[in-house]
Amino acid sequence: MPGKNLSREEAQQRAGLIEVESYRVHLDLTSAPDPAAPTFLSTTTITFRAATPGAASFADLLAPGVRSVTLNGRELDPAQVFDGTRVALDRLEGHNVLVVAADCAYSRTGEGLHRFVDPVDGETYLYTHFEPADARRVFANFEQPDLKAPFTVSVTAPAGWDVYANAVHESVEEQGDARTWRFAPTRPISTYLTAVVAGPYHVVRDHYSRELPDGTRLEIPLAATCRKSLAEHFDAAEILTVTKQGLDFFHQEFDYPYPFGKYDQCFVPEYNIGAMENPGCVTFREEFVFRSKVTEAAYEGRANVVLHEMAHMWFGDLVTMKWWDDLWLKESFADFMGSYGLIGAGTRYRSAWITFANRRKAWAYQQDQYPTTHPITADIRDLEDAKLNFDGITYAKGASVLKQLVAYVGREAFFEGARRYFRRHAFGNTVLGDLLSVLEETSGRDLKAWSSAWLQTSGVNSLTPQVTCDAEGRITELAVLQDGGTPRPHRVAIGLYDRDETGALVRTELVELDVAGARTAAPELAGRPRPALVLVNDEDLTYCKIRFDEVSLETLRTGLGDLSSPLTRALAWSAVWNLTRDALMPARDYLDLVLRFAGQESDIGVLQSLHQQARTALDLYADPTWRAEGARLLAECALRELRAAAPGSDHQLAWARFLASAADGAEHLQLVAGLLDGTARIDGLAVDQELRWEFWLTLAAAGRATTEAIEGELRRDNTASGKQRAVKCLAALPTPGAKAAAWSAVVDSDELPNALVEAQIAGFAQPDQRELTAGYTDAYFELLEPVWAQRSIEIAMRIVGGFFPRLQTEQSTLDATDAWLAAHPQAAPALRRLVLECRDNLARALRAQVCDRG
Ligand SMILES: [Zn+2]
């Protein structure tokens, strides 16, 4: 559709012309409970200034229909001025009032105003999600982050509902079966940050209070909400505890009072992402309301997200990037603050930096090695580019680089820089230079070279120790070699490790140094005895791939699990995983490390990522002729460790899930079936609803579950989550009919909501069903362009990424991908980017298989 994909240039021009004074938005949501009602009435009044009277511009609006458009009292004909994506505005005056009344659509894709009906009780729930540019699906506006304004929102909703928005409500007026909620004006915020959450939500209220440095008191009402049918599982007290710890911590670090009044945290259904930092009205995916037992890693992950979104109240909401090129200005900081805050705020999650090193950075390393990688400060031409940039670079690499910056300029200079940045740019918009200038002021350092090395170039460096010794086995020189792309300045710590009297591998020496260029010597280590292991980037200060000298690698092969420090082990696991991905370590060697040492891993988050990586190594990186043997070994390991794990422990649950994923052969499947029907037991293992669905998926994919049995389980768990799980199980059945049905449900209709699209795709491709799905490769390439043109970008991204034949690890799949890319140079750049990344994963798998073949 013309005008849907707003470009940076158009946004710049419009910002040069227009200054928005205020928005008034009224939404009439009384039609929402009627599933046959496709739309709601949205009325927007925008007052704005135009720098050039007489000029023309446009407002953004994605709506099925427009009832009226009035500009400065002139009635404009909607048929003339509205093209489906934009409202054309001409003859602007110095001061303007625009009123647009539109019929906007309820969403099923999680973009705009999403509508969900709870199968448990039939209740309807609504919430908005707008980033980067979907507020225009709900009200007419100027959809770009640098046109900030105060919003005054009112909502008419069914009488039994609560309504949440960015500000507190000032009045609620009864009107028969409906109530109108009027909210206070917000501070100036960007359109993508506005939010409305409406429905019969369950709510838990609390309060935060703090004395400010000037002696006044800051009072913040707190609320946490979820659907009524999830209330029994809602541990709001834990969420609110982390919330208060975070508010204490960020006030202390940022020295700028929380600017948005109240703080609501709404857990909402069928949410596309983890969470969104709407000022005063944060939305989270409701999978964070745990229905069944989860491990401590899941609680830590949720607490991290709570703090990430809270950090955005300052980084992003108070001070906002001018355009999506500088998305990192908010996401990298929030991502860093998520982990930093878990430790700094004194939460119970002490493993935050281990998780960061092992899981978060893996995402960055993966993304940064795609041919599509980009500098942290990106070149974002338009909104489709923006949509794809919520990626491992903007979040995880950016956060890693900030961690490195703290090591480089020091903690105090870093936070004093942040404090100045907030004071100087409050309620405004910024670019990279605004941040660098405050950091240069507070650190006294010239950061231009640092910025160009770290923020303005792409790619990941590898750091390798080079150890030379004399005849007595003493180090004559230890140097760090840097390769892989542009060399960067790295502040690193180098750890030396040896076995102690108990056999544990412990650190005997740690030195910090600045690595620069291709080779940097560490003279202070000369003369020391040659250690069993040299670890560059110990303590995980910098962002790099860690490599090893041969002696060190051999030490890991024989004793990785003997490393006593959990952070060191996490770094070692991460390094051997990178070696495997880079076809420098055979997949079967990596799996051998998992088989021997995963059982010793104490950190539950690291263990769970080992489980995922083992699965990937087997499915993609191992020589196909060895796969059956590898599968047998992994399944045996899973069962052995499950039986050995402490009853009721997180480790036991993680191994049970891994058994579900790795079960191989009749004995394991029989055990899984027995755990489901109660004829088998493992002491302390509660086979609760989520674990039941894991086991059903195992049986379904193996052809040991009938459609009737899966539907029977759905009757037992007739919930939103149950429905998603059942759909996934049905799609996983090993029959041509099941595959055809899943494919068709996603591709041939746009009736399915986002969550069920995801479930169908997740069930469709199963590792042991390669032959069943091989025939879909051609169909996949044929659907790419139509899907991109016809479906919302959120759904299109899932189909393009999810249906790529990633398990068909053969040269012919690579050839088909290359043929499509060669034949479609003009396809949308964002679509090509997704296909190029899938291609790269496949090429990597083929290289790894060659390595594994030996
Ligand atoms: Zn964020």
Side-chain angles (χ1 to χ4, degrees), residues 575-640:
V576 294
W577 179 239
N578 278 322
L579 289 172
T580 309
R581 281 173 38 82
D582 290 348
L584 296 170
M585 174 180 277
R588 69 191 71 187
D589 290 10
Y590 174 78
L591 287 169
D592 185 55
L593 290 171
V594 173
L595 295 174
R596 286 189 295 136
F597 300 126
Q600 282 169 257
E601 183 49 60
S602 62
D603 186 283
I604 187 68
V606 171
L607 178 64
Q608 289 181 282
S609 69
L610 291 180
H611 287 160
Q612 282 170 13
Q613 287 162 357
R615 192 70 242 185
T616 303
L618 181 68
D619 292 341
L620 302 181
Y621 300 158
D623 178 5
T625 63
W626 183 78
R627 249 186 229 138
E629 168 72 1
R632 188 183 62 74
L633 292 171
L634 270 189
E636 279 173 6
C637 167
L639 185 56
R640 185 179 69 238

Side-chain angles (χ1 to χ4, degrees), residues 98-146:
L98 171 69
V99 185
V100 180
D103 292 302
C104 294
Y106 293 110
S107 166
R108 296 299 285 133
T109 67
E111 300 153 292
L113 180 67
H114 189 80
R115 176 167 59 178
F116 170 86
V117 178
D118 190 333
V120 174
D121 53 17
E123 296 282 12
T124 300
Y125 292 91
L126 305 176
Y127 65 87
T128 57
H129 179 71
F130 293 157
E131 192 177 27
D134 283 319
R136 58 191 171 148
R137 293 179 188 273
V138 175
F139 57 92
N141 63 55
F142 300 112
E143 187 86 277
Q144 59 188 81
D146 57 344

Side-chain angles (χ1 to χ4, degrees), residues 277 308-309 312 330-331 334 395:
E277 68 266 22
H308 173 122
E309 304 311 327
H312 272 314
K330 72 180 181 78
E331 291 308 342
Y395 285 69

Side-chain angles (χ1 to χ4, degrees), residues 422-463:
F422 299 137
R423 284 198 292 273
R424 201 168 293 172
H425 300 287
F427 302 105
N429 293 84
T430 52
V431 295
L432 167 65
D434 298 315
L435 179 73
L436 290 184
S437 64
V438 290
L439 288 170
E440 287 186 341
E441 284 169 32
T442 57
S443 70
R445 290 211 191 197
D446 181 352
L447 292 177
K448 277 172 207 68
W450 181 88
S451 164
S452 68
W454 281 108
L455 301 175
Q456 292 159 297
T457 58
S458 59
V460 53
N461 305 123
S462 299
L463 298 183

Side-chain angles (χ1 to χ4, degrees), residues 524-557:
E524 53 270 66
L525 292 173
R528 316 235 170 231
R530 141 112 250 174
L533 170 69
V534 178
L535 184 67
V536 296
N537 200 28
D538 204 345
E539 299 291 310
D540 197 36
L541 299 182
T542 195
Y543 169 80
C544 69
K545 287 196 281 190
I546 298 173
R547 302 299 203 205
F548 302 101
D549 62 293
E550 274 183 26
V551 172
S552 298
L553 190 56
E554 192 49 35
T555 299
L556 291 180
R557 284 181 192 279

